Amino acid sequence: MTDTPKDMQTSSVVAGPGQDGEARSRWAWTEPTVWTERMLGALENGVKGGVWFSLMDKVYSPKNLRAAWKRVRQNGGAAGVDRQSVEMFSAQADSALERLGKELRERQYRPMPVKRKWIPKPGSSKQRPLGIPAVRDRIVQGALRNVLEPIFERRFLDTSFGFRPGRGCKDALRRVDDLLHRGFRWVVDADIQSYFDTIPHGLLMREVKKEVADGSVLELIESYLKQSVMDGLKEHSPEEGTPQGAVISPLLANIYLHPVDLVMRDAGFEVVRYADDLVILCETEERARHALLLLHTEITGRGLTLHPEKTRIVDVDQPGGFDFLGYHFEQGRKTPRDKSRKKFKDTVRSLTPRTAGHGIDTIIKRLNAVLRGWFQYFKHSHNWVFGSLDGWIRSRLRAILLRFNKRRGTGHGFAHRRWPNQFFATHGLFSLAAAHAEASRSR
């Protein structure tokens, strides 16, 4: 991925004659049925009064609703409280989209309750809530995001990476690496406690109103903030937070933390933020303490809380280090954090039970898909990580082969001699260590 150009995030670019094509290039990710050349010109040159009116007709336009439906269909997902699946909606898409447009146009649309499902939390025995909106509501939220995202994206800083077009985890990690290499060795490792669940609705809407003055759009956003939740047979309406699983929630979360980004930037601090996961990299301990104090003031002033146990100041040259976006940084080394490694091993275990009912080639084929995906994200880890994991994976496969051959024991000793490393290479097992060595040579 490449970083979004700064002129898209922090300042307006005055478009002159012949620059329409350039504007389209800068905003290529936007939905073209909404963001026409005329709209892009207004986006870059600014709108009268500094706020946007007359946006609702863009939300319910048939072309925008159809574009939003296309994305929902591609993403799939479970049915909401109305039990209507993506496939069921697809069977009547034309009439359903027309009905949605009419409800929005006549201000009769009301979102259904969000269906709550509890899923295992990665790396722990706890569970976390997942919200499943109805398909129709996912479509409307997508259409709303198509309209709102460029307006706020123009304001956002390049220190923010989460849930933004053209940016992602790897961009944020590269920024952290760069700052560490430049001598920013003191790190404020910050954790905002239950961020998505505790955003104050009133303060959030105040931020939205800085850019949007269309009453119908503001009413639509508030309807999602107040959207009730169905947890089994119980229904409740949240008084704070953004709706779990909502298409619009990540954008709203970024809007609410944007003022914090501005304050930290204006104070000269190097922040790397991915949604509510953020680190501040400093050159001295004194600067780090100043940064933490300022961050605490800003976060609490916005009705939020820094986790008292998970927020700390770290000297990366000393034992301990810090975690960020799945990686652990410590004493010049970058490795998968403990939770990432545990989640990976749990996935491998699920694919390699000793009682596996498939041949070794089928098991390896299924395993390789997981190994390649995991490696693509964690390939920048220190080299010792990959060899040890390769050995552990081969040991599990040897235990399966022992059972196939009606023998007892583990994947060591006899099994290692009977099925050496080359055996698995011949059968096409993806080697993390070999892939890392190849990637290191090509850098």
Side-chain angles (χ1 to χ4, degrees):
M1 291 185 179
T2 58
D3 288 354
T4 307
K6 289 185 179 179
D7 58 8
M8 283 173 48
Q9 301 152 12
T10 59
S11 62
S12 62
V13 179
V14 179
Q19 290 189 331
D20 285 349
E22 296 175 18
R24 173 57 65 195
S25 176
R26 283 190 291 271
W27 297 92
W29 56 269
T30 59
E31 174 51 49
T33 64
V34 175
W35 291 95
T36 61
E37 298 295 347
R38 183 183 65 82
M39 286 282 286
L40 289 177
L43 183 67
E44 295 207 331
N45 295 331
V47 290
K48 187 176 181 180
V51 291
W52 289 78
F53 295 88
S54 302
L55 292 174
M56 193 61 184
D57 62 314
K58 315 296 188 302
V59 175
Y60 62 66
S61 76
K63 289 182 179 179
N64 186 25
L65 287 173
R66 188 160 292 281
W69 156 237
K70 181 179 179 181
R71 183 173 293 186
V72 169
R73 184 175 57 196
Q74 289 173 341
N75 292 339
V81 294
D82 61 351
R83 299 184 179 180
Q84 185 178 49
S85 66
V86 172
E87 293 75 18
M88 291 166 65
F89 189 96
S90 183
Q92 52 174 341
D94 290 340
S95 60
L97 291 174
E98 185 177 347
R99 187 164 54 251
L100 270 180
K102 184 175 185 292
E103 289 179 11
L104 289 164
R105 186 169 59 253
E106 297 178 356
R107 300 178 79 160
Q108 298 299 312
Y109 167 81
R110 299 291 183 273
M112 295 181 178
V114 172
K115 179 181 177 181
R116 173 161 287 179
K117 182 179 180 181
W118 293 89
I119 62 174
K121 194 172 183 179
S124 77
S125 58
K126 298 180 180 180
Q127 291 188 315
R128 66 180 180 89
L130 176 67
I132 307 174
V135 173
R136 67 190 290 273
D137 295 332
R138 301 205 292 263
I139 294 169
V140 176
Q141 287 181 33
L144 179 61
R145 184 181 63 183
N146 287 345
V147 173
L148 293 180
E149 192 167 36
I151 294 172
F152 291 94
E153 194 50 44
R154 178 175 171 270
R155 302 174 65 212
F156 292 160
L157 303 183
D158 58 6
T159 56
S160 165
F161 295 87
F163 307 110
R164 294 182 59 191
R167 324 195 101 212
C169 292
K170 291 184 178 180
D171 302 295
L173 290 166
R174 277 194 288 268
R175 177 66 175 153
V176 170
D177 278 336
D178 177 61
L179 289 166
L180 289 173
H181 291 148
R182 286 166 49 193
F184 291 78
R185 311 294 291 178
W186 287 88
V187 178
V188 177
D189 181 13
D191 183 278
I192 304 175
Q193 195 164 352
S194 303
Y195 174 59
F196 282 82
D197 294 330
T198 58
I199 298 175
H201 291 171
L203 294 178
L204 171 59
M205 290 307 299
R206 187 175 68 181
E207 292 301 323
V208 174
K209 290 174 183 178
K210 289 179 180 179
E211 294 288 335
V212 176
D214 186 316
S216 295
V217 168
L218 295 173
E219 184 180 291
L220 183 58
I221 295 171
E222 287 191 284
S223 74
Y224 287 123
L225 295 178
K226 297 174 182 177
Q227 193 173 7
S228 61
V229 176
M230 286 292 297
D231 192 348
L233 297 177
K234 297 180 180 180
E235 181 176 359
H236 74 277
S237 297
E239 297 181 0
E240 58 184 8
T242 57
Q244 294 280 354
V247 175
I248 199 71
S249 284
L251 174 60
L252 296 176
N254 275 330
I255 290 171
Y256 195 62
L257 282 183
H258 173 66
V260 178
D261 294 341
L262 289 175
V263 169
M264 302 307 293
R265 181 203 63 181
D266 292 345
F269 291 113
E270 298 288 355
V271 178
V272 183
R273 181 172 69 81
Y274 191 97
D276 60 327
D277 197 355
L278 67 95
V279 289
I280 308 169
L281 292 94
C282 304
E283 293 179 292
T284 66
E285 182 179 7
E286 182 182 3
R287 284 286 286 169
R289 294 191 182 282
H290 182 198
L292 178 55
L293 180 62
L294 181 59
L295 180 67
H296 181 270
T297 300
E298 290 301 311
I299 291 297
T300 55
R302 303 190 70 73
L304 304 169
T305 304
L306 286 178
H307 197 295
E309 297 175 2
K310 296 181 180 179
T311 299
R312 60 208 178 95
I313 293 175
V314 175
D315 176 358
V316 295
D317 292 323
Q318 299 299 318
F322 68 97
D323 295 338
F324 187 60
L325 298 181
Y327 274 93
H328 180 73
F329 297 79
E330 181 180 354
Q331 294 182 303
R333 291 185 175 185
K334 186 165 65 171
T335 58
R337 70 172 187 164
D338 290 343
K339 286 185 178 180
S340 300
R341 204 180 322 228
K342 181 181 184 304
K343 182 181 178 182
F344 171 71
K345 284 193 168 185
D346 286 346
T347 302
V348 171
R349 286 189 184 97
S350 71
L351 295 173
T352 57
R354 289 195 183 189
T355 56
H358 306 285
I360 196 67
D361 288 329
T362 298
I363 295 171
I364 286 176
K365 182 179 179 180
R366 293 177 178 177
L367 193 56
N368 280 350
V370 171
L371 300 182
R372 288 192 175 96
W374 190 86
F375 177 77
Q376 278 304 309
Y377 190 80
F378 288 104
K379 63 184 177 183
H380 299 292
S381 299
H382 196 271
N383 58 14
W384 67 263
V385 169
F386 305 107
S388 63
L389 287 175
D390 274 346
W392 175 76
I393 292 166
R394 287 191 296 263
S395 177
R396 291 196 61 81
L397 292 175
R398 290 184 181 108
I400 293 173
L401 289 168
L402 281 170
R403 188 174 181 87
F404 283 169
N405 285 267
K406 298 184 173 20
R407 297 186 67 115
R408 295 176 178 272
T410 63
H412 304 284
F414 164 79
H416 192 283
R417 295 189 299 273
R418 174 67 177 82
W419 298 288
N421 295 355
Q422 186 56 41
F423 170 85
F424 299 104
T426 301
H427 282 260
L429 177 65
F430 181 83
S431 167
L432 299 169
H436 182 260
E438 178 61 30
S440 299
R441 283 194 294 270
S442 61
R443 285 176 193 157

